[in-house]
Amino acid sequence: MPREYTLHTSNPERRSAIDYRAELNDQQYEAVTSAPGQALVIAGAGSGKTRTLTYRVAWLLDNGILPENILLLTFTNKAAREMLERVQGLVPVETQQLWGGTFHSIGNRILRHHAEFVGFRKGYSIMDREDQKSLMDTVIASSGIDTSSFHFPKSTVLCEIFSLLTNTLGGLHEVIADRFEHFIRVEDQIEEVWRLYELKKRETNSMDFDDLLALTVALLEENPDVRERFQRQFQFVLVDEFQDTNSLQCKMIDMLVGEDGNLMVVGDDAQSIYSWRGADVQNILQFPEKHHRTHVHKIEVNYRSVPEVLHLANAAIANNSGQIRKALQPARPVGGMLPALVPLDNPGAQAAFVAQRILELRDEGVDFREMAVLYRAHFHSLEIQMELTQRGIPYQITSGLRFFEQAHVKDVAAFMKLIVNRHDEVSFMRIVRMIPGVGNASAGRLWTDWRKSGMLTDEDVPRATLAAALHGLKVPKKATSVWEQFAYTLEELVTEEGKPVPPRSMIQSVTEGVYLDYMKSKFENYEQREQDLEQLADFADNFREPLEFLGQLALLSGVDTDNKPADDGDKDAVTLTTIHQAKGLEWHAVFAVWLADGMFPHSRVIEEGAFGALEEERRLFYVTITRAKDELYMTYPLIWHQARDGNIMQKPSRFVAELPKELFELWKIKAW
DNA sequence: TTATCCGCTACGAAG
DNA sequence: TAGCGGATAA
């Protein structure tokens, strides 16, 4: 039965002045103005995918759909924000009403109001990877499993197994047999840990990232009335980067859309690069079969790159068999340079070449911000970083620790999390372990005492009661005075009646009360970190509710560099980034470094010999090429010195070797 | 029991 | 290069 829906009469004042016909090319126009129903938009690299999506939203609004009836799902906060901003620029409508965000943030938004339905309470904490690992460690410790006598997986590996399990909707046995063969002997113990971990999360009222999706699905699956309410609300659902969805996300979409809802998914199967976290290209490849009335729209005109680069990209991806055939059509005229293949003697020479070329381009008038160095893995950037630093070339690097994952940020957040969720064992332990003289053993005892103190309720506890409980804890003798400080600070974080104070005040209380002293004793660069915390406090000004603030904190991703309080995104600097993080971005000149076989594709992929994995690596290579607008340099070192094995001769990546020679130019580098 | 130091190993990509 | 497990000092 098709669902009925009504088009609202459009309010003339809200209509935009967009001339859709003129502002879009034929392919885009067709997709943007397509009738309600199910649509698959295959948008090649640089073909204006974001433009298509944002214009689609504008089109819907122009046709009287209310913002609150539109749901826009993305993978990163950055993408979500960018699109909402662009929609706002197009249509004079309150886009705040629009539901736009990452899968995780939308899940969180839904679960906040329905936590009880899935065995949690309202103020649940969100654990990042580190928190998750630490909770897993306590679970393993309490399970009584002997982890030493045979090879039992470490907590990080267990997290990975369980995550894969959740995201692929698979069974434990299959996941272990497929990807973690060597643990097959301890499958029963792993299953036991899993069971305990699930219990522990509920006990500590803490969700991990995957729960935000899995529990949303569970909530909607098990509660028809809730499901129907959301399905009725989300009349139009749009999904970005659909090629990177995994089974769980797909199911979440299904639950939100309903049988005959209006769903438009946009993506490019050639850019699917997240299978290692459960993404399945089949989702996009088989979308038309799954939804029989799907309209497929292909957008293949590329506005980004010169034809020379596009030809190389098309040639590279042509070696993949599993794909929706398409060829990017250049909109730009011929006349760029041929992509360059540059073998260098060693990694140092490679770095020197990149640096020198960057400076030359700069002299030719190209801004630093229009150049990027892309690599397969973080550690590939080491020599480059050193070289750029030596030559005084400014660069920004999007790898390494995320702002919000740094110890001092997490430490301060732990205080806030405990106040909001007193069941939060991970945060409690983190806090008490900051006290000199308290290690794992005392911390564990303190947690037990805390639980016995009657603080584990969900109601607000008056400040006086909280204070009594805190001061009542028995800490080791040498820790008492510091503990007093901590307890006073924690008290300050609630009002008389026990309501959490605003996030900003919390951060300031913690910093001034205890953390500044702690930082001075613990960190060399405490001044830098102090500044970070000030910025964190500024950032917190955007939130009145600690819960909201903490949610943002947990869900912000490293890719969203401009989302961190210190926004220096306008600086003219060369970008250093992994290919994964480079998706969706573009630069005048791109340096693809370490294109040696074994580095890219990664040797593990080669050894495994898995066909699908190799194809994914090739898609990654395709993504690399298509980031370049005008100039592309593919470099690799001929010799790589390794501590253990000495000098290793490198061959160019098979992805380069298989390209037709006339599509690129070989550069010979002479050292003077 | 905690804090620290040392040597060994691994190091893929991320919300 | 860090991030660890294990040994040792306080």
Side-chain angles (χ1 to χ4, degrees), chain A residues 18-33:
Chain A
I18 301 173
D19 182 348
Y20 290 92
R21 200 57 264 192
E23 292 175 34
L24 301 166
N25 71 29
D26 290 350
Q27 296 171 332
Q28 293 168 341
Y29 180 80
E30 203 193 302
V32 164
T33 62

Side-chain angles (χ1 to χ4, degrees), chain A residues 341-351 380 383 592-597 599 634-641 648-653:
Chain A
L341 175 64
V342 194
L344 282 310
D345 284 348
N346 52 55
Q350 176 176 255
H380 291 163
E383 291 93 356
V593 298
W594 279 106
L595 290 186
D597 223 48
M599 288 295 173
M634 303 178 287
T635 73
Y636 68 97
L638 290 164
I639 293 169
W640 178 39
H641 184 78
I648 302 175
M649 287 296 290
Q650 303 277 333
K651 284 194 295 187
S653 165

Side-chain angles (χ1 to χ4, degrees), chain A residues 2-18:
Chain A
R3 169 150 18 100
E4 288 177 24
Y5 80 94
T6 323
L7 285 182
H8 303 267
T9 47
S10 60
N11 179 344
E13 280 168 34
R14 289 168 115 199
R15 279 195 79 93
S16 69
I18 301 173

Side-chain angles (χ1 to χ4, degrees), chain A residues 4 47 55 86 96 176 186 227 246 259 269 361 372 399 445 449 458 525 560 566 604 610 646 658 665:
Chain A
E4 288 177 24
S47 66
Y55 272 74
R86 280 169 73 165
Q96 288 93 322
I176 295 182
V186 289
R227 180 173 70 232
N246 56 42
E259 276 290 290
D269 56 293
L361 286 169
S399 58
R445 268 200 306 275
D449 292 351
D458 291 308
N525 60 342
D560 304 321
R604 244 185 264 179
E658 70 196 12
E665 193 177 26

